[in-house]
Amino acid sequence: MGQRHAAALRALGYQVDVLMGRDAERTKEAAGKLGIKKSCTDFNCLAEMGIDVVHVCTPPSEHFSVIKQALESGMHVVSEKPFVFSEDEGKALVELAKAQNVINAVGFNCRYHEACSDARNIVRNGMLGDVLLVNGSYMQEFHALPASFSWRYGKESGGKFLATTEIGSHWIDLMRYITGKEVVALQAVYGTFMQDRVVADGMQWPAGQKTGTPFRFEADNAAIVTFSLSGGALASMVLSEITQGRYNYLEMTVTGSDGSLWWNSEDLNRLKTGRKGIDVSEKVYAFGDGFNDSVTNMLSEVYEDIESGKRNPAHRYATFSDGLKNAQICDAIYRSAHGNSAWVSL
């Protein structure tokens, strides 16, 4: 994501001055590949250079400390998702950003697909009537074995979650963005499949298939969540990071009292709407966008607000407050899944 952020900023005409990382040599090498002239491992160098905006693209366990230092230095901050794992940390950053009066954003870029923006307008303008039901899924194949071993599998770096925050956070944010509904309560069940593994040459394999270092996988690589939403609506989300053949499939259907709409990210330039007794309508975005475009479009709006010095009331990007709400929902999912799938209120 750091590479995508850097490419998007350059496409928008902004200069990327410095890359900060944890390992000096690796950070210098990465900076060279990205065409960034300076690299460092100490936050003080950013302050000394007078950096205006910090993009936090680290593992989420590092988000709080980096964001806090940036805010205390009066810098605007764009944080990748998930924002934070701890509600207390999230609240502290929301308050600090407000006190410092800086622009803050969280990288929920799916909001910036044209079809998703149109879906929001259709739902929020009442064209489907009252929202009754939202259902969908987010499925990927990236963690089906064999899979590369990375920081995502370490509790200290990746946290106690996997599918919930890595892909579920996007679905949850998009549901809130399109419908304007908030989660009132939820119930969740986790799937933790293929637990016994070995790591060999940087890859994970099912135990017994390779000779390597034994590894016990204990996080969620699948989940099913039921939501009770504000206004009496219901929602259902299926998550899977082990569905082979699904590269990046986020899909959502919104059912209203007067009609429905549906969209998916593997056919992202088509939005369908339907009404009982009337043919299904399809809007095609002939000059539509892709994943990288959505990142660029998001940062374009964020930087417009940074340059103006204030947040446009009509902005579409997710803020730290949205990131906090998302973190609270993800934590509630974890607590329900580890609490016999009991309903958890928010």
Side-chain angles (χ1 to χ4, degrees):
M1 285 309 300
Q3 295 177 14
R4 291 192 174 99
H5 278 244
L9 289 172
R10 287 184 173 133
L12 293 169
Y14 294 101
Q15 182 174 319
V16 183
D17 292 308
V18 58
L19 179 68
M20 179 181 142
R22 291 172 292 181
D23 180 276
E25 287 303 314
R26 290 181 61 193
T27 304
K28 183 178 181 180
E29 180 183 356
K33 290 179 180 179
L34 292 172
I36 301 173
K37 294 181 179 179
K38 186 174 178 60
S39 65
C40 66
T41 59
D42 186 340
F43 192 89
N44 289 332
C45 79
L46 305 187
E48 291 170 358
M49 291 178 65
I51 294 299
D52 299 305
V53 192
V54 171
H55 289 242
V56 182
C57 301
T58 68
S61 59
E62 306 289 333
H63 284 188
F64 177 75
S65 61
V66 177
I67 294 172
K68 184 173 183 290
Q69 290 178 86
L71 293 177
E72 289 174 340
S73 299
M75 300 173 186
H76 307 288
V77 181
V78 179
S79 172
E80 260 307 316
K81 61 85 205 165
F83 176 45
V84 290
F85 291 141
S86 162
E87 180 179 22
D88 289 341
E89 289 182 346
K91 287 181 176 179
L93 294 180
V94 168
E95 290 304 314
L96 184 54
K98 186 183 298 184
Q100 294 291 78
N101 194 30
V102 295
I103 301 300
N104 54 88
V106 180
F108 288 116
N109 56 289
C110 292
R111 295 180 174 210
Y112 283 81
H113 292 305
E114 288 186 66
C116 293
S117 292
D118 273 3
R120 171 189 168 90
N121 292 335
I122 290 169
V123 175
R124 297 287 191 106
N125 289 333
M127 297 171 67
L128 301 183
D130 296 329
V131 174
L132 307 177
L133 177 69
V134 187
N135 64 281
S137 64
Y138 201 157
M139 299 185 178
Q140 294 180 337
E141 67 175 11
F142 298 138
H143 297 290
L145 299 183
S148 60
F149 188 81
S150 70
W151 59 263
R152 289 178 172 84
Y153 292 91
K155 287 186 178 180
E156 290 186 0
S157 55
K160 60 189 178 183
F161 307 97
L162 187 62
T164 299
T165 51
E166 189 169 59
I167 56 177
S169 60
H170 270 301
W171 197 97
I172 292 164
D173 180 75
L174 196 59
M175 176 184 69
R176 293 182 61 242
Y177 173 72
I178 289 175
T179 68
K181 300 296 182 182
E182 296 293 353
V183 176
V184 176
L186 59 83
Q187 178 188 49
V189 59
Y190 272 173
T192 303
F193 301 109
M194 299 169 286
Q195 289 188 282
D196 293 318
R197 309 175 179 196
V198 295
V199 179
D201 299 322
M203 295 290 292
Q204 299 174 84
W205 300 83
Q209 285 195 10
K210 292 278 185 178
T211 300
T213 304
F215 170 63
R216 179 76 173 175
F217 173 72
E218 296 180 344
D220 54 307
N221 48 19
I224 300 175
V225 186
T226 302
F227 302 94
S228 174
L229 305 179
S230 56
L234 295 177
S236 176
M237 171 183 74
V238 177
L239 303 176
S240 171
E241 297 201 319
I242 53 173
T243 300
Q244 298 179 40
R246 284 300 190 191
Y247 188 70
N248 188 43
Y249 183 73
L250 189 165
E251 56 97 9
M252 188 172 293
T253 298
V254 179
T255 298
S257 56
D258 299 328
S260 59
L261 62 77
W262 56 97
W263 170 86
N264 79 78
S265 61
E266 290 186 357
D267 194 12
L268 55 78
N269 287 313
R270 295 176 186 271
L271 175 65
K272 295 183 179 181
T273 57
R275 294 180 185 275
K276 184 177 180 179
I278 303 175
D279 289 341
V280 171
S281 298
E282 178 180 75
K283 182 172 182 179
V284 178
Y285 301 86
F287 300 96
D289 52 21
F291 181 87
N292 291 342
D293 297 306
S294 67
V295 175
T296 303
N297 294 340
M298 176 186 72
L299 294 182
S300 175
E301 190 170 304
V302 172
Y303 272 70
E304 285 178 6
D305 285 359
I306 288 173
E307 291 194 357
S308 71
K310 60 182 179 180
R311 184 180 297 151
N312 185 331
H315 74 88
R316 291 180 293 162
Y317 58 84
T319 65
F320 283 4
S321 293
D322 293 305
L324 170 59
K325 181 71 71 173
N326 200 287
Q328 292 168 328
I329 295 169
C330 289
D331 182 67
I333 290 172
Y334 180 89
R335 287 187 283 124
S336 175
H338 287 271
N340 295 318
S341 299
W343 281 90
V344 176
S345 297
L346 284 92

